[in-house]
Amino acid sequence: MNRKRVVIAGLGDAGVLAAIRLSGYADVVGISVKPALVSGQELGVRLSRPDDWARDYWIPFDRFRRLDRVRTVQAQLTGVDLAARTVLGKRADGAALAEEYDALIISTGVSNGFWRRPTLQSAADVGAELRAAHDRLAAAGSVIVVGGGAAAVSSALNMATTWPQKRVDLYFPGPRALAEYDPRSWDRIHRRLTGLGVGIHPGHRAVLPDGFAGDEITSEPVRWSTGQPPAGADAVLWAIGRVRPNTDWLPPELLDERGFVRVTPELRVPGYRGVFAVGDVAATDPLRSSARNRGDALVARNVRAELGGGRLGAYRAPTRRWGSLVGIQPDGLEVFLPTGHAFRFPTWSVERVVMPWIVRWGMYRGVRENNPLG
């Protein structure tokens, strides 16, 4: 009996985990613009401590033991023929790509700032981009972070921790940051930020310069539509949540009004048998929370059920974001619950239990040792 073929379009966090879960069941083909998992998580650690970030969030595909059975292809997706069940693209060397599928998982994610873009890159390109952003911020005597989400808050806290002599200011439009989290989460992080000397400036809505998409570090003064005088710093980090789904390659009938992939509670694209979506690209709920909360496990299980005639399960989205907000710190890893309460893994447990056993073996089913930055 011929094995089924599953094509996974996008090998970010959700796509890699889905590929790992399906690798023993079907012939899996993973298509990615990067030659590795280059996670969009933990922006603050990425900017302030790039070596630490690369160790945990930039992992070449050949380091994942369970991806040994997955054929990974570096290519830019250009389209899909839904009738012929074929994904189309252009390989890194310019050659055309056409991959037939029995099931397709769309997990191409979103673009959000310079750290999450769907561009073809080599490992050298990824490393150069990583270093350039770090060096720019390291050289700045003062930094403004614009934004009220987790990426902005994490960036401000991590920079203040790594460079205690640097002036760091956080500006956001609402009365508090982390509006998608329980208020207790912000209260706790607010105390840490003020303890580090970070300036907290609520009620500031930034005016973007003409033609600027908010996807690079700038140095011009920031102006506010809320009436405050302009603010200046040596470097301005824009973490304003201008999320754009990476769906230019998909036909409009698969997308909602914002360009995200429409899905049923089973993460299936309505009207197209065998087509699923998961992660930030999937319009599951306002928080698009299948990027977390084990959405990868459900989509893998439902693909198997659909191809094998089984019963599909439904995704249940949480009402608030939760998880790590600022990444691994010198005193350990703090994880926030949906209620806003937090618990901390001490440093020794992060190094000896959480990362090697829970993450590398439990989640990824084995990762060979490697650090792309050497």
Side-chain angles (χ1 to χ4, degrees):
M1 180 177 179
N2 291 333
R3 281 163 60 91
K4 300 294 187 180
R5 174 179 288 190
V6 178
V7 171
I8 301 179
L11 289 177
D13 294 296
V16 163
L17 288 169
I20 286 171
R21 292 180 178 277
L22 287 165
S23 61
Y25 167 75
D27 291 330
V28 180
V29 180
I31 304 171
S32 172
V33 291
K34 316 295 184 190
L37 169 62
V38 182
S39 176
Q41 298 184 59
E42 307 296 3
L43 176 63
V45 177
R46 172 178 174 143
L47 295 174
S48 61
R49 293 180 280 124
D51 289 284
D52 291 346
W53 181 87
R55 181 190 60 237
D56 298 324
Y57 296 101
W58 175 13
I59 308 175
F61 295 133
D62 62 6
R63 301 297 172 184
F64 293 97
R65 296 180 185 276
R66 286 289 291 270
L67 293 189
D68 289 349
R69 291 177 285 185
V70 172
R71 180 161 60 88
T72 59
V73 181
Q74 188 174 8
Q76 184 84 50
L77 295 165
T78 58
V80 58
D81 186 331
L82 294 165
R85 305 178 72 79
T86 303
V87 172
L88 307 172
K90 180 181 291 186
R91 296 176 183 269
D93 62 5
L97 172 76
E99 291 287 349
E100 297 180 355
Y101 62 83
D102 294 296
L104 169 64
I105 298 175
I106 300 166
S107 56
T108 42
V110 296
S111 297
N112 182 15
F114 60 84
W115 60 95
R116 297 178 79 181
R117 289 189 284 205
T119 52
L120 279 168
Q121 288 184 306
S122 66
D125 294 332
V126 175
E129 187 174 74
L130 190 65
R131 285 297 187 192
H134 169 78
D135 293 347
R136 173 76 184 277
L137 293 169
S142 57
V143 178
I144 284 175
V145 181
V146 183
V153 168
S154 173
S155 297
L157 189 145
N158 276 282
M159 285 190 284
T161 301
T162 301
W163 299 301
Q165 304 306 313
K166 194 186 303 294
R167 180 171 66 84
V168 179
D169 288 275
L170 175 65
Y171 291 83
F172 48 91
R176 67 178 179 91
L178 301 178
E180 294 175 340
Y181 292 78
D182 186 276
R184 295 184 188 90
S185 302
W186 171 238
D187 291 343
R188 188 176 181 91
I189 294 294
H190 184 276
R191 290 194 295 270
R192 294 185 64 181
L193 289 169
T194 54
L196 290 165
V198 175
I200 309 295
H201 307 274
H204 287 67
R205 185 173 295 280
V207 177
L208 268 66
D210 291 341
F212 178 59
D215 57 356
E216 61 183 82
I217 299 170
T218 60
S219 56
E220 294 76 19
V222 182
R223 303 185 181 279
W224 314 103
S225 65
T226 38
Q228 299 90 347
D234 296 332
V236 179
L237 174 66
W238 299 81
I240 54 178
R242 280 208 159 186
V243 171
R244 302 176 302 279
N246 298 325
T247 54
D248 290 347
W249 61 286
L250 291 170
E253 58 266 28
L254 270 60
L255 311 178
D256 68 8
E257 66 280 358
R258 297 179 58 205
F260 294 92
V261 181
R262 294 183 295 112
V263 290
T264 68
E266 294 75 25
L267 304 182
R268 185 166 59 183
V269 177
Y272 297 93
R273 181 172 174 81
V275 181
F276 295 78
V278 69
D280 283 316
V281 77
T284 51
D285 60 286
L287 300 180
R288 300 184 313 282
S289 59
S290 72
R292 296 152 293 278
N293 306 296
R294 304 183 66 80
D296 58 278
L298 178 65
V299 78
R301 186 163 66 247
N302 282 352
V303 164
R304 294 184 63 167
E306 178 129 317
L307 295 179
R311 182 177 179 182
L312 278 64
Y315 178 71
R316 294 176 176 82
T319 57
R320 291 193 181 274
R321 289 194 185 277
W322 66 282
S324 167
L325 276 170
V326 298
I328 299 171
Q329 299 296 304
D331 59 353
L333 174 66
E334 193 170 53
V335 177
F336 288 82
L337 300 174
T339 60
H341 296 93
F343 62 92
R344 180 184 302 280
F345 293 97
T347 302
W348 69 265
S349 69
V350 174
E351 296 175 347
R352 301 177 191 175
V353 179
V354 175
M355 296 309 296
W357 293 105
I358 297 178
V359 176
R360 296 190 186 108
W361 277 106
M363 287 178 56
Y364 292 131
R365 313 293 176 86
V367 179
R368 301 177 180 96
E369 291 299 320
N370 182 57
N371 186 333
L373 292 183

